[in-house]
Amino acid sequence: MALTKARYGKGRVRVLRLARESARHAVRELTLTVLLEGDFGAAWTAGDNRQVIATDSIKNIVNVTAAQYVEAETEAFVGHVAALFLERYAQVAAVTIEALETRWLRRTVDGVPHAHTFTLDGNGAPFVRLVADRTGAVLQSGLRGYTLMKTTESGWADFVDDAFRTLPDTHDRICATSMDATWTWTAPPTDPVATNAAVLDTLITVFATTYSAGVQDSMYRMGEAVLAARPDIAEIHFAMPNKHYLPMNLAPFGIAHGGQVFLPTDEPHGQIEATLMRGA
């Protein structure tokens, strides 16, 4: 039997970097998955582990790199981790790193940002993926589970009308989604925090200020706006499940709905995905 593809590594490596060189501290918490490809086939086919870097060592490498680069933003940090593997271990051909950030926001106390007090940001997790080999690297940034809603200026109409359709047309509905968005850089951004914030601001602005004929419609125009604004982004991918808010039938109680009372549900949900690429 031929071993056609194999990789291994360490998942859910959690590390918090605390920059405290000054009185104003900075917190960066990540959960990483690090996967290696290369000359490891004998571990599968012959029980020969001599080329294999222990997954515990992979965890230790992440932690040591964290200590060496406490203040590096995530995009740069994963690059340092990947570089160590490619420079130190000849048997490693490629490294894939995915890093999900637990975002801590600096707390304002008495109207002033506090030097060392933070609260957890519950909306969305910043995401970075790096695939690096000996010929180059592809860096992606994005968000996972960023939840947003608008309560009007959204509809869903003129879809297939057949024996299975039960939904009526609507031109005024709640539109809500838990968005996963991933953008691919042509080159690493010089200031990823500011740049990623600007991308998110573009996405939300388009979502908020334009009529949505459906999640597909909004998604396309959101991606279009990002690519127009950011020449350093090659493509953007979305996965945006519907979070449904269904009008409640209160007629049995003699109450008109009036567009004010809804049942929140996200099971089952519509799953809408797309990738937009520059020049495609």
Side-chain angles (χ1 to χ4, degrees):
M1 297 292 181
L3 180 69
T4 58
K5 189 173 180 62
R7 63 179 184 173
Y8 82 101
K10 199 75 164 178
R12 293 194 60 80
V13 181
R14 299 184 65 185
V15 60
L16 184 145
R17 292 173 293 147
L18 176 58
R20 53 192 311 170
E21 290 296 317
S22 68
R24 184 181 174 86
H25 295 176
V27 173
R28 296 174 176 90
E29 180 178 347
L30 297 174
T31 301
L32 299 100
T33 298
V34 181
L35 294 171
L36 306 180
E37 298 175 64
D39 185 14
F40 305 113
W44 276 266
T45 61
D48 182 348
N49 296 325
R50 286 176 293 174
Q51 293 283 75
V52 177
I53 305 155
T55 64
D56 188 65
S57 299
I58 294 173
K59 175 203 69 179
N60 293 339
I61 287 169
V62 170
N63 292 337
V64 168
T65 307
Q68 294 171 334
Y69 298 97
V70 172
E71 298 196 24
E73 299 299 345
T74 306
E75 284 80 0
F77 176 66
V78 296
H80 293 305
V81 175
L84 191 151
F85 282 104
L86 293 171
E87 292 168 5
R88 187 179 183 95
Y89 302 102
Q91 67 269 41
V92 175
V95 186
T96 299
I97 303 173
E98 296 189 359
L100 200 63
E101 181 181 350
T102 299
R103 185 159 47 186
W104 293 94
L105 302 179
R106 191 176 301 280
R107 182 71 179 179
T108 296
V109 178
D110 294 330
V112 178
H114 197 267
H116 56 260
T117 301
F118 303 84
T119 55
L120 187 66
D121 179 4
N123 192 13
F127 173 81
V128 172
R129 177 190 290 122
L130 176 70
V131 180
D133 61 22
R134 300 187 182 278
T135 64
V138 176
L139 177 67
Q140 297 175 315
S141 302
L143 290 160
R144 295 291 178 267
Y146 193 91
T147 303
L148 61 166
M149 169 196 287
K150 63 179 180 179
T151 56
T152 189
E153 291 297 309
S154 171
W156 179 241
D158 299 327
F159 48 95
V160 172
D161 189 0
D162 61 12
F164 300 101
R165 172 175 164 168
T166 59
L167 295 177
D169 283 358
T170 180
H171 299 281
D172 186 9
R173 67 169 184 168
I174 292 174
C175 181
T177 184
S178 178
M179 177 179 68
D180 290 353
T182 306
W183 42 95
T184 303
W185 302 103
T186 57
T190 55
D191 186 346
V193 173
T195 305
N196 289 332
V199 171
L200 177 59
D201 185 65
T202 298
L203 294 172
I204 294 174
T205 297
V206 173
F207 179 82
T209 61
T210 60
Y211 180 82
S212 173
V215 174
Q216 293 91 332
D217 174 49
S218 287
M219 178 188 291
Y220 184 83
R221 285 181 290 103
M222 290 159 72
E224 217 178 18
V226 168
L227 292 177
R230 301 296 320 186
D232 50 352
I233 292 177
E235 68 176 37
I236 183 166
H237 175 77
F238 296 97
M240 293 171 63
N242 279 323
K243 295 177 72 68
H244 296 294
Y245 291 85
L246 307 178
M248 286 193 183
N249 179 16
L250 301 178
F253 308 101
I255 300 173
H257 173 260
Q260 298 181 92
V261 184
F262 299 85
L263 173 66
T265 178
D266 54 12
E267 295 179 355
H269 62 245
Q271 181 71 21
I272 299 95
E273 302 186 11
T275 301
L276 281 72
M277 181 181 297
R278 188 178 306 284

